[in-house]
Structures are given as C-alpha cells and as structure tokens.
Amino acid sequence: MIYDEHFGSPQRRRVLTAAVLVIFGVLLLRLYQLQLLYHGELDKKSEENSVRALIREPIRGYMFDRNGELVVDVGPAYAITLIPFEFDKPGGGLLSSLLKMDSLTLEERIARGRIYSPFLPSRIKRDVDIRTLATIEEYLPILRGISYEIESKRVYPARAFATHLLGYRREISDAQLAQFSDYYRQGDLVGIAGLEARYEPYLRGEKGYEFVSVNARGQIIGSFEDGKRDVPAREGCDLLLNVDIGLQAFAESLMTRNAYTGAIVALDPSDGGILALVSKPDFDPSILSGVTPAELWSQLQSDTAKPLFNRATLTRYPPGSTFKMVLAAAALQEGIIDEQYRIRCTGAYRFGDRTFKDLHVHGSVNIIEAIQKSCNVFFYQLILKVGFEKWTECGRRFGFGRITGIDTGEETAGLIPSTAYYDSRYGKGKWTQGNLLSLAIGQGEVGVSPLQMARYAMALANGGTLHQPQAVRFIRNKRTNKLEEVSHDSSSVGIFPEVIALLREGMRRVVQEPGGTGGLARIPGTISAGKTGTAENPHGEDHAWYVGFAPFDNPKIAIAVMLENSGFGGSKAAPLAGLVMEKYLYGQLRRALPRPAPTKPDALKAITQAVR
Amino acid sequence: MTNYLKEYFDYKAFLLCLALVAVGLLSVYSATFDVGAAGAFEKQVVWAGVGLLSMLIAALFPIRALQRIAFPTYIVTLGILLVVLVVGKTISGSKSWFGVGGLGGQPSEFAKVATILALAAFLARTTTSLSNVKHLLIAIGIVVAPMILILAQPDLGTTVVFFAMLLPVLYWAGASNFILAAIIAAVLSAAAALFGTLTFLITLVIAGALLYLTRQNRFAAAVAFALTLAIGLSVQAVYERLPAYQQKRISSFLNPELDPKGAGYNVLQSKVAIGSGGFFGKGYLQGTQTQLNFIPEQWTDFIFCVPGEEFGFLGASIVLTLFAGLLLHGIKVAYLSKNRFASAAAIGVTGIFAIHMLINIGMSMGLLPVIGIPLPFVSYGGSALIANMVMVGLLMNFYANRKEH
C-alpha cells in the first residue's frame, strides 16, 4: 500500500461502527413502532381480520364477425372450490356424493390444490349445473372450506361451427403451468387451437384480486378495508374478425349436406382477410366450451375421421391441374413461349418409353386454351421447355413450399420439389425428366394445403400480391376503447402484369366459355374465373380441387375448395365454389341448391351427439 | 487453557452465528411444519451441519494460501457464473434454473465470498493505491464483473448486495470521501434515470452537491459530474431502446408495488404479522399469521415475520441485537487485523451481512422496497446458509491470526 494512512484508521472504524448503530437503531425503532405503538390495531387485524386474496376471473374477450355479428360469446359457469386447510376429511363422503365424483378423484384434486396453496380455494369441480350448485349451497354450513366461483365459459350463438378457425380451450397442462405459473393456476382454461390459442394473451384479460378478511379460523368474514385494495379483473380484448360467419355457416352446410371430407378457404383478395375457413369433419365447439371431460377428448383424438385435424391448413395433397398456372406463368414470364405458341394435342404424349395420357383430344391449343381445357399434353411439353428450376422458382413465387403466416395456428409449408429435393430423395442422376411430366400437371410429390391454394387464387385475382391470410382484423381493448389493427405482410409474386392477365383470361374461359372444365362454378349474373383440378390418389378415389375468384374485373372473393376422395374437380369442387362465391357476393342464393351427393354415414356426428 | 482459547478462538463470532442459525431453524420449522413444504426443516438442518463443517475449514485455512488462491478462485467463479447465464438462457422456461434455491441462485452466493477475497487481495498488494485512478477502476471492476453477470440472470437483489459491499471496503482501504461520493453519484444517477426526468434532475442536483462538498480539486469534481450525467443519459438511452417486455421486467424490479398480487400484499401481511406480535409475541408455533396465512415467501424472504410474530418485540429485538453484535465484531476483527488482506476481507464480509440484514428486515417491516434477498442464517436456503457460515469462518480465521502481518 502506497497510500495507506487511512487504511483501517480509528476514525474510519468509528464511522463504520456508527453506521451499524444507525441501522440497528432505525430497525429497532421501526420494530418498536409496529409492535408496541401500532400493536393494538395490527393485532386486531390479525386476530379477527387476517387478509386473504381471492382471485376474480376476468371475462374473456368476445369475437365478432366482419358484419358485427357476435360469433363467440361468454356465459356463466359455476365451479365448486375447496380450501384444503379448512376442509374436514369426514366431509369428503358427503361432498363426493353431492358432486357425483368418486372419492379417489376428489382426494387427488384436494391434494393438487394443497400443492398450490393449502389456504386458498382451489377448483375441484368445474362447470357444475345449477341443480348441483343449489344442493351444495344448502349444505354449505356443514361443509367447511367449500365455496363456489362464477367462471365464464364459451357460448356460440352463430349457426356455424368454425371449430378449426375459432379454436377451443382446455385445462392448462402441467408443462404450460410450469412455464407460465406467474399468471395461470391449476385448472385454468387456455386456448390450445385456432384463434383461442393464438390470441390467448389478448382474449384472457387480467385476473383481479379481491381482498377479504378472514377470522382466526380462516373463515371469510367480509371485505378487507372496504375493498379499497381490491384489484378488479380486467376484461379481455374482443377480436373483430374478417370472417363472414354467414358465409362460413353456408360453406359448412354445403360440406355437411354432401357429407364431404375436405376444406374450403375463402379470402378477401384485397387484403388477405379470411372470409371463411372450413375443415370437415369438425365438431360443435360448444362441447369444449367449459371443462372438457377426458373421455370426450380422447374420443376426439382417436376418431378415425380426425375431426381435430385442420384439413384447411395441414393437409398436403397434390393440387392437380389447378397448378397449371404456375407452369404457364414460368413459361410466359421467362419469354419461353408467347400466347401465339401452339401445340397439337393428340390425346396422349409419348416420352421415352412411356405414354402420358390426356382426357381428350384437344387439337391445336395455345396457352389460354390449354388452361381453359386443362390440356395435359400442352403442359407435358411445356415443362420440358421451361425446365425444372424455373418451375420450382415460379411455384415458390406463388408462395408454395412456405407457410402463409395465417393467425389461426398450425399450418404446413407443403412441398415444392426442386432438383435438390429429387437428388436427396432419389439420388443424383437417378431421376429422369419423366418425373417432371407429373409435376407439370400438379401430380407427384408436390404438396399444397387448401390455404396455400386460396392464397394462390388471391394472387391471381388481385394481379399478383400475396397477402398474409388473417382471421382477425382488429383487436378491441375495452379498457382504453382502442381498436388495434392487426397488421399483415404483403409481398408481390413478381410476375409481369401482362402474364397474369393471360392466366386470368385462361381462368375466365375455364368457367365462362364452352369447352372450359369449370362451367359448374358459374355464378348467375357475375363473371368469374377459376381452375379445376383432380389430384390422383393411389390410395383411393381422387381428390377434387377448385381455385377461383369473382367478380372477374374487380375480385371480392378468392376461393380454394378441396374435397377428399370425391372425384373430379370440375364436377364436385367447382359447383361448391360457385355457390359459396354467389352467397358472398349477393348475400343469398338466387337459385335452388343442387341435389346433395349420395351420403355416407357421419360417424362423428353420432359420437358428439352421444356425448352431449 | 482459557486464555489460550480466548487468544485464538473467536467464540464471539462463533456463538453469535450459532444463535442466528438456531433462530433460523426455529423459524423455518414454524413456517413450514404443517404446510405443503414438508421436509424443508430437515433439509435446513442438514445444510446447517454442512455449513458448520465449512465454517471450521474456513477458520483453519492458512491466510497466506487463501490470499494466493483468491484470484484464481475468482476467475473460476466468473466462469461458472457465465456458464449459468448461457446455459440458463438456452433452457429458458425451465424456471428451476432461476428460482430460489435453484442452480441459478447457488453460484452467486459463493461468488460473494470469492469476490470479497479477490478485492481484498488486490487492495492488500503493496503497490495498490486508491488515489491511482487505474487501481481504483480495477478495484471497482473486480466487483462489477460478477455483478453484471448476476444482474443478467436476472437477480437484482444480489446485484445490490455486491455494490453495497464495495463501498465500505473501499472506504476502509483508504478511499477518499470524494471517490466514494463519485461512485455513489454514478449509481444514483443510473438508477434515477429510470424513474423519469424530474427524479433524474433532483438526483443530479444531489449528486452535484455531494461532489462539490467532497471535492479535492475542481477539475476532478467536474469530470466526475460529467461522468455521472453521461451514465444517467446512456442508461436512459439503452432503456428506451429495450423491447417493451424487458422494460416491464425492469420496471417491476424497480417498483414491485405495481405488481397487483405480489409485493404490496406481502408487505401488508408481513407488517400485520410483526405488529400483532406485540411485546412478548404469541408464542412459538402460535402465530396466527404465520400458521394461517398466505405469505408465499414466508420461509425465505419474509422469514423475519416468524420471530416477529411469535416472539414479539422481545424476541425480534434480540435477533436485531445478535446481528448488530456480529457486525460490530466484524469491524473489530478488521481493525485488529495487522494483515491488510484479512482486514479488508473482514470489512467485506461485514458489509455483506449488514446490507442483507438491512434490506431484508427493512422490507419485512415496510421500510424499504421489496428486493428479494434472504436474511443471513435465518432464511430457508442451503447455498446462502453455507456461504454465510463460511464467511463467519473467515472472520474467526482473521481473528485468530490478527497479530500476523
């Protein structure tokens, strides 16, 4: 130490000693103040009025459709609560018979509650009916530690199910609870699918706290300090949807009426707003509105019809001929052909030692006619001119092979094959140009979701913009009364407008001109455009596809329809698309509904009805 | 024999420490015996045993060797803190890494000891001079490095403890009032920067006055004031650039009363519990608040409620006196030690105990904001108990060797 005259000097010792004495003195004074001066008051509080915080559940946010119609509502549900510390074991028998719960389950729930806190009420049975509640209330004087809470559950006033879109809630899992223990507690319902899951932080609101006084035995004797310290629960935010719930209901009814399995996705071409999103089979979301019984859940999970599976966003089927505009765009964009270019279709195309067939002999066709008539031979030859890379690139431009960013939850990115993919799948040099011919007509490994197809239809409708599909337009904060707009990404597909115009003309002819494959999609009084597709299915009947939009000049709706194992796109999917678009554009149908397809028994309906 | 004992055995530190550990065991038992946390008492007893053993080892460790391994140990400790930080981040969501008594909490307890020893070793070097700016910065750096790693965990309480340890040690080692004022001014300005413009301006005025009153030359005072201003402004700038969720995390650190279900309610409960104890207390295991109520951190951060309620003013003031006795004894050991390393380290240990006691008990009685740090020897928690007992062992060691240079 060079500079050490002060190191540990007596003066510095005196200062530190003084500091310790000051700390000691201050704490002692405060102790004196609390324990002797304020003792009477605080002791009274403690003897008669110890304080306990009770959780007050917030009201979950509502959902309204684009016309302001209430889609998801909230209603009361009654939960029986129990304070483990106060509950007498002998009361268990009575309680389990009142709640119609076996005593083992009851004991297990009490044990779980004790882990959360022995002194706070835990919910031991949720969503009990009014009669049970009334009986419990009668017995309250002899059931110590038992009370009830009013919770909210979902109510669905709309005619539509919209299960996969709106989503549903379940009791929080232990893993989630461990992660979010700062807000949730055992037994809380959290969104696990669809909008309920994605917008959980907005919808849930904030729990409130009510401070109550309890006596020395822990029984509640009144509010604490007249509720001055209470924190009211904050209502959750409302979601204002892009969805037209009337359209959704109509689209669902078309699917149900024909007993179709599949999906319909309708988008607003101007901003990507989701007008309807149907996945069938589905189920009535109100069966999951409160607490879901475990047996119902496992039944839903094991159902062979897979009602929990969102076919609109998660299936990955080949798109069939609906994909032909991708190849056409690639060829025109790169200047490989122009609209004058013609091919003579003889009804089949020989490549190597294989013959690739077409449905008809189309004669001499140019690109527009090839789309109109869905001429396979034209596209077989075209892909050999365009090449694999250009095709892959153009598919990616239209958003295939990547997710859409939809706000309803899970979706697949699908698959758009590339040379790299084939090299890794079959080995370098082990695949041939023959593989390409399947891709040309949307068969083979290419996998797309109905949602991606709707996005593709949207880009063709609006001249080449991919908007991120969003079900929610605004989030309404009821406390600040502010509307927060949900932003969405938009990007251009980067295809020349003249090229898109040619594709659109082809698609118009598909619907409007004789010889087009999509005549059944025609809407009386409105010109529409589209493309049919039939995805070959090695495991059974083909999947029917249709993509389209209307009106042709100023599109208000873009749509994709996918029907599993139902046959031709032109005969099965196209009429549905036409009906849905007509309903949206005119608000109603102005013609009689076509007769339903022959029905298959609806296994799921039987299940959900049996459970309810 | 008794004289020999008095000469080499620091019975005062030993007995004061044992008494506080006993208070802790009684309190932990009372707070947990019928609650879900069964087994907590038994664990605490085991830890106290381990602590006793560690304390004796620390008391018998040769001081020279201690001084020599101080730096290497310190570097290793920094490494461990870094690992905890990195690994803890990749396994985010698994809270056990951050929770009380979790692995995240453990290294920082022992980092306190390592940091004290490293700082003391640095200050004891014959070439070190605190009037040399470079040396001063190194001394500060030794404390700030682990402090930043712990702050990032994030553990605000332990960070505050580190800073509070630095000041008395520097003061003891001969730092001028001006240096202390400059450090305090910088920290005040950094903290005040987060509380809005008015608070910041008032703090700047106070800092300016402090620097002016302790100044040795005007130039240094001006530089120190400029630094204070710069630190405050840069903290503000960084804060504003943070994403909203991080800002929220910081603001709830600084103002925990805002948390609706948390701190305000706990403090209220804690005040009622202590106040209802009266002069004689309600008797052991008879405290209605302790036994009936819901104070979540009752056996960790709010443990002082238990002696407060069950043993009353009589018992609680004895606990305070035990602490004051230990602190005064620590200062005395530092004063008696001829070895500068031992002397500085003794002040460091005492400073740590003092700040823990002040913040914890002050918080339980509603005097200070709620910063979650345990009450030494009393709160439930193994790593803190063992680290604290090791520090008492060091005091005993310094006492026994006080006449050695």
Side-chain angles (χ1 to χ4, degrees):
Chain A
M1 269 294 191
I2 300 166
Y3 183 80
D4 70 350
E5 65 183 276
H6 293 298
F7 193 112
S9 68
Q11 189 247 343
R12 297 214 161 190
R13 181 190 180 189
R14 278 196 297 277
V15 169
L16 290 186
T17 302
V20 168
L21 291 177
V22 167
I23 291 174
F24 176 72
V26 168
L27 293 180
L28 197 67
L29 255 171
R30 176 65 170 176
L31 206 56
Y32 169 79
Q33 186 187 32
L34 285 181
Q35 298 197 300
L36 302 178
L37 289 185
Y38 299 164
H39 169 65
E41 196 188 318
L42 292 176
D43 188 41
K44 214 173 112 203
K45 245 181 208 167
S46 144
E47 288 248 315
E48 304 163 15
N49 302 319
S50 55
V51 186
R52 187 167 291 165
L54 298 180
I55 296 173
R56 285 289 164 258
E57 294 292 338
I59 296 176
R60 198 169 174 87
Y62 300 83
M63 299 187 207
F64 296 90
D65 88 337
R66 69 191 291 119
N67 303 315
E69 188 179 334
L70 183 58
V71 177
V72 181
D73 195 0
V74 173
Y78 303 96
I80 304 300
T81 64
L82 180 149
I83 301 174
F85 185 81
E86 294 177 10
F87 185 67
D88 298 321
K89 270 233 166 110
L94 174 60
L95 189 65
S96 78
S97 74
L98 288 179
L99 292 178
K100 299 177 197 78
M101 238 171 136
D102 63 274
S103 56
L104 225 74
T105 319
L106 182 64
E107 266 171 40
E108 192 228 304
R109 302 236 170 131
I110 297 175
R112 298 191 87 156
R114 196 183 296 277
I115 290 169
Y116 165 61
S117 165
F119 304 115
L120 286 183
S122 282
R123 292 164 290 200
I124 49 165
K125 180 143 189 189
R126 315 280 293 276
D127 202 5
V128 299
D129 55 58
I130 280 280
R131 276 181 53 197
T132 312
L133 182 70
T135 350
I136 292 270
E137 243 184 334
E138 274 174 43
Y139 283 100
L140 275 187
I142 53 169
L143 285 172
R144 263 190 38 169
I146 299 292
S147 183
Y148 68 91
E149 273 176 24
I150 302 174
E151 302 180 305
S152 60
K153 68 172 178 183
R154 282 308 198 190
V155 175
Y156 299 90
R159 297 141 284 160
F161 284 174
T163 322
H164 298 99
L165 179 67
L166 304 174
Y168 36 87
R169 297 188 295 161
R170 284 196 73 204
E171 281 192 44
I172 189 164
S173 68
D174 289 345
Q176 283 175 307
L177 196 60
Q179 197 175 347
F180 304 111
S181 63
D182 53 340
Y183 183 81
Y184 295 101
R185 61 179 166 140
Q186 182 74 45
D188 277 349
L189 297 179
V190 288
I192 61 156
L195 299 178
E196 295 279 13
R198 177 60 68 93
Y199 292 92
E200 167 75 23
Y202 294 97
L203 287 167
R204 75 180 187 196
E206 289 291 331
K207 287 175 185 172
Y209 295 88
E210 182 185 339
F211 295 99
V212 291
S213 303
V214 294
N215 63 19
R217 298 172 119 197
Q219 288 158 329
I220 294 169
I221 55 173
S223 76
F224 174 74
E225 291 188 357
D226 295 328
K228 261 182 261 164
R229 287 173 181 276
D230 291 359
V231 181
R234 287 184 191 161
E235 240 180 293
C237 299
D238 292 345
L239 302 183
L240 307 191
L241 310 183
N242 281 316
V243 176
D244 181 329
I245 201 66
L247 185 70
Q248 173 82 23
F250 177 70
E252 286 180 12
S253 72
L254 288 179
M255 295 288 281
T256 315
R257 191 177 136 83
N258 293 292
Y260 283 141
T261 296
I264 301 178
V265 179
L267 302 176
D268 182 339
S270 67
D271 59 6
I274 296 171
L275 302 174
L277 186 144
V278 179
S279 169
K280 285 280 175 184
D282 53 1
F283 55 92
D284 184 347
S286 60
I287 64 176
L288 301 183
S289 67
V291 177
T292 309
E295 59 272 28
L296 170 60
W297 183 251
S298 63
Q299 213 161 359
L300 284 171
Q301 274 186 315
S302 58
D303 192 317
T304 49
K306 294 198 176 167
L308 292 172
F309 183 62
N310 188 347
R311 285 170 166 77
T313 62
L314 289 172
T315 52
R316 226 164 81 161
Y317 292 128
S321 297
T322 51
F323 217 61
K324 283 177 177 162
M325 281 82 77
V326 169
L327 177 55
L332 293 165
Q333 175 81 6
E334 301 292 334
I336 293 164
I337 61 160
D338 60 15
E339 53 185 303
Q340 313 301 335
Y341 176 82
R342 289 190 165 270
I343 278 175
R344 173 156 293 278
C345 166
T346 56
Y349 179 65
R350 262 193 89 72
F351 183 79
D353 53 359
R354 276 181 69 191
T355 301
F356 291 83
K357 289 211 165 149
D358 206 333
L359 280 177
H360 300 283
V361 178
H362 296 107
S364 165
V365 289
N366 70 355
I367 183 105
I368 292 175
E369 290 154 2
I371 292 175
Q372 174 190 356
K373 297 171 180 166
S374 203
C375 173
N376 288 351
V377 170
F378 184 94
F379 286 95
Y380 290 145
Q381 297 186 42
L382 192 56
I383 199 161
L384 297 174
K385 288 173 89 71
V386 169
F388 198 2
E389 275 86 5
K390 295 264 159 46
W391 176 84
T392 304
E393 187 207 322
C394 197
R396 291 200 174 128
R397 285 183 178 214
F398 279 104
F400 294 103
R402 71 183 144 91
I403 59 166
T404 66
I406 190 174
D407 58 352
T408 62
E410 285 187 305
E411 59 171 321
T412 175
L415 173 69
I416 180 105
S418 59
T419 46
Y421 171 79
Y422 272 178
D423 283 347
S424 75
R425 171 133 190 220
Y426 299 110
K428 239 184 162 65
K430 296 211 172 132
W431 51 278
T432 64
Q433 296 284 310
N435 294 55
L436 287 192
L437 298 195
S438 301
L439 298 181
I441 57 165
Q443 312 288 1
E445 285 90 345
V446 52
V448 302
S449 70
L451 175 65
Q452 287 177 316
M453 291 307 277
R455 178 170 63 167
Y456 166 63
M458 164 172 73
L460 290 165
N462 66 22
T465 307
L466 293 175
H467 296 290
Q468 181 184 7
Q470 298 273 24
V472 178
R473 183 177 211 103
F474 295 106
I475 296 171
R476 177 164 59 204
N477 185 325
K478 278 178 277 195
R479 219 157 28 86
T480 59
N481 229 346
K482 264 197 216 146
L483 277 187
E484 184 195 326
E485 188 158 7
V486 178
S487 64
H488 66 269
D489 294 335
S490 300
S491 61
S492 168
V493 292
I495 304 280
F496 298 134
E498 312 82 77
V499 172
I500 300 229
L502 290 177
L503 304 177
R504 285 169 53 100
E505 173 57 17
M507 291 171 73
R508 186 190 66 79
R509 292 198 195 178
V510 166
V511 184
Q512 301 295 348
E513 302 287 329
T517 57
L520 289 175
R522 233 170 266 171
I523 305 166
T526 296
I527 296 174
S528 83
K531 182 76 193 77
T532 60
T534 306
E536 287 164 12
N537 177 11
H539 309 294
E541 190 99 32
D542 293 345
H543 305 313
W545 277 103
Y546 186 83
V547 295
F549 55 87
F552 181 71
D553 291 320
N554 179 22
K556 298 277 185 227
I557 179 169
I559 194 167
V561 176
M562 185 277 293
L563 306 174
E564 287 179 5
N565 314 114
S566 64
F568 288 113
S571 57
K572 296 295 181 2
L576 250 60
L579 290 167
V580 171
M581 290 194 286
E582 178 178 356
K583 164 81 175 169
Y584 181 67
L585 295 174
Y586 291 96
Q588 60 185 30
L589 280 195
R590 295 149 314 140
R591 50 183 161 144
L593 273 177
R595 279 179 48 199
T599 52
K600 294 179 278 185
D602 189 342
L604 183 80
K605 206 176 203 173
I607 284 178
T608 52
Q609 274 167 0
V611 171
R612 298 187 81 185
Chain B
M1 187 61 198
T2 39
N3 275 343
Y4 182 83
L5 255 186
K6 263 192 184 164
E7 184 67 19
Y8 294 107
F9 180 64
D10 187 358
Y11 67 92
K12 246 192 203 167
F14 184 71
L15 291 181
L16 284 168
C17 170
L18 283 196
L20 284 169
V21 171
V23 169
L25 289 176
L26 285 175
S27 305
V28 169
Y29 181 77
S30 173
T32 60
F33 81 103
D34 68 342
V35 186
F41 173 72
E42 287 79 0
K43 275 191 209 162
Q44 187 80 347
V45 170
V46 172
W47 286 327
V50 175
L52 202 61
L53 208 68
S54 319
M55 180 163 97
L56 292 179
I57 293 171
L60 296 172
F61 210 90
I63 290 190
R64 292 276 164 226
L66 202 59
Q67 194 168 356
R68 228 170 290 128
I69 64 164
F71 273 116
T73 312
Y74 172 77
I75 299 295
V76 170
T77 308
L78 283 188
I80 292 172
L81 287 178
L82 203 63
V83 168
V84 167
L85 195 62
V86 173
V87 177
K89 266 204 177 140
T90 51
I91 320 180
S92 72
S94 124
K95 280 213 164 172
S96 67
W97 278 79
F98 299 104
V100 179
L103 279 170
Q106 283 170 341
S108 64
E109 291 299 335
F110 296 103
K112 287 174 194 164
V113 185
T115 307
I116 289 173
L117 293 180
L119 178 63
F122 176 74
L123 293 174
R125 291 192 328 175
T126 50
T127 51
T128 301
S129 163
L130 285 179
S131 53
N132 176 329
V133 175
K134 198 178 122 196
H135 289 171
L136 178 67
L137 289 180
I138 292 176
I140 295 175
I142 288 175
V143 177
V144 167
M147 195 167 122
I148 288 172
L149 291 176
I150 289 168
L151 182 62
Q153 275 187 10
D155 178 351
L156 183 74
T158 312
T159 312
V160 171
V161 168
F162 268 78
F163 175 69
M165 180 266 284
L166 175 67
L167 280 185
V169 174
L170 287 185
Y171 177 71
W172 189 249
S176 65
N177 289 338
F178 174 71
I179 289 174
L180 297 176
I183 296 174
I184 293 173
V187 172
L188 278 183
S189 123
L194 303 177
F195 284 92
T197 317
L198 184 65
T199 321
F200 185 56
L201 286 178
I202 293 172
T203 311
L204 276 185
V205 171
I206 295 172
L210 261 177
L211 291 170
Y212 180 77
L213 290 174
T214 57
R215 76 193 183 283
Q216 284 146 330
N217 68 64
R218 278 191 211 151
F219 177 69
V223 169
F225 187 74
L227 275 178
T228 303
L229 187 63
I231 287 173
L233 291 178
S234 52
V235 165
Q236 215 158 18
V238 170
Y239 181 77
E240 269 160 20
R241 239 154 259 175
L242 290 176
Y245 75 96
Q246 280 185 355
Q247 286 188 358
K248 199 183 162 200
R249 192 187 262 184
I250 291 174
S251 69
S252 68
F253 259 150
L254 295 173
N255 199 352
E257 320 261 333
L258 288 180
D259 178 13
K261 72 172 163 175
Y265 169 69
N266 288 349
V267 169
L268 182 80
Q269 290 286 3
S270 162
K271 272 159 50 179
V272 168
I274 294 171
S276 67
F279 188 79
F280 291 107
K282 296 176 186 167
Y284 189 50
L285 303 183
Q286 302 301 310
T288 51
Q289 298 284 306
T290 302
Q291 302 308 328
L292 267 183
N293 270 289
F294 184 57
I295 306 176
E297 282 93 21
Q298 191 171 221
W299 51 90
T300 56
D301 292 350
F302 282 92
I303 192 78
F304 189 69
C305 298
V306 180
E309 185 183 15
E310 301 194 340
F311 302 122
F313 182 74
L314 199 62
S317 56
I318 288 176
V319 174
L320 279 185
T321 310
L322 291 175
F323 271 112
L326 186 64
L327 299 181
L328 293 177
H329 181 70
I331 297 171
K332 188 176 149 197
V333 169
Y335 185 69
L336 293 178
S337 282
K338 297 235 159 52
N339 179 319
R340 292 191 189 286
F341 166 69
S343 180
I347 288 297
V349 167
T350 309
I352 293 263
F353 289 159
I355 192 69
H356 270 274
M357 178 196 86
L358 174 65
I359 290 183
N360 182 285
I361 299 183
M363 157 186 100
S364 300
M365 298 197 295
L367 277 181
L368 290 173
V370 176
I371 300 174
I373 62 174
L375 187 59
F377 314 108
V378 183
S379 286
Y380 172 77
S383 46
L385 182 62
I386 294 167
N388 286 326
M389 291 180 80
V390 164
M391 287 194 271
V392 172
L394 291 176
L395 281 185
M396 293 168 65
N397 188 344
F398 301 152
Y399 177 85
N401 296 299
R402 64 192 179 281
K403 289 174 183 163
E404 313 266 321
H405 274 278

